[in-house]
Amino acid sequence: MKTKQRVTEFERQVYDLCSKVPKGSVTSYKEIAHAMHTKAYRAVGAALRSNPYAPKVPCHRVVASNGTLGGFQGSINPRGHSLRKKASMLTEEGLEINKGRIKEFEERLFKLQ
DNA sequence: CGGTTGACCAAGT
DNA sequence: GACTTGGCCAACC
């Protein structure tokens, strides 16, 4: 398991923005990148991938920009794996998931900045 | 400093 | 709807 020992400023911004997403809303990798005035969507994902602030940062509220769940806990497997858990948590928070896809995604999307 | 990788994205086939 | 391609950018080796 890849544990982060030192985080960069870039990653810190990512974690900070994630923690600002309220329960019942979600944000996307793209939105986070956009909020930081960069196009490094992938770097955002990479940052969450090693998420050293596990409980502190609700990384399950970050999904792909097309409304699908993206990845979770090291995997990006679309069919029942860790993604299932991510979906469950989001459901618990009041969101509606339909076949791995957020229902009314754009309305539930928390707009940063 | 160059090349590879990645929880991405959009457009094309 | 599934798969491929090109592009983006930071972290890592």
Side-chain angles (χ1 to χ4, degrees):
Chain A
M1 180 164 153
K2 298 173 183 177
T3 319
K4 255 311 187 208
Q5 301 195 352
R6 278 191 282 238
V7 295
T8 64
E9 278 297 313
F10 182 88
E11 293 169 316
R12 247 179 14 194
Q13 288 183 72
V14 175
Y15 305 134
D16 187 56
L17 289 170
C18 282
S19 58
K20 287 188 173 88
V21 180
K23 175 180 165 190
S25 294
V26 292
T27 191
S28 66
Y29 302 102
K30 184 173 153 193
E31 271 301 309
I32 293 176
H34 190 254
M36 300 194 307
H37 311 115
T38 178
K39 293 152 198 148
Y41 327 109
R42 306 189 79 172
V44 173
L48 292 177
R49 176 185 159 285
S50 23
N51 182 15
Y53 296 74
K56 189 175 172 188
V57 177
C59 39
H60 59 271
R61 291 187 196 145
V62 184
V63 297
S65 65
N66 63 331
T68 56
L69 294 184
F72 192 59
Q73 290 184 345
S75 270
I76 197 172
N77 192 331
R79 282 190 269 249
H81 209 290
S82 20
L83 269 299
R84 191 183 157 86
K85 182 166 184 162
K86 183 170 180 175
S88 298
M89 285 192 289
L90 290 171
T91 302
E92 291 295 311
E93 299 193 350
L95 290 161
E96 300 174 70
I97 312 294
N98 188 304
K99 297 194 164 48
R101 171 144 181 141
I102 310 263
K103 210 174 182 183
E104 314 204 336
F105 171 61
E106 297 191 15
E107 297 175 29
R108 297 292 177 139
L109 184 64
F110 180 72
K111 304 201 181 355
L112 302 153
Q113 290 190 347

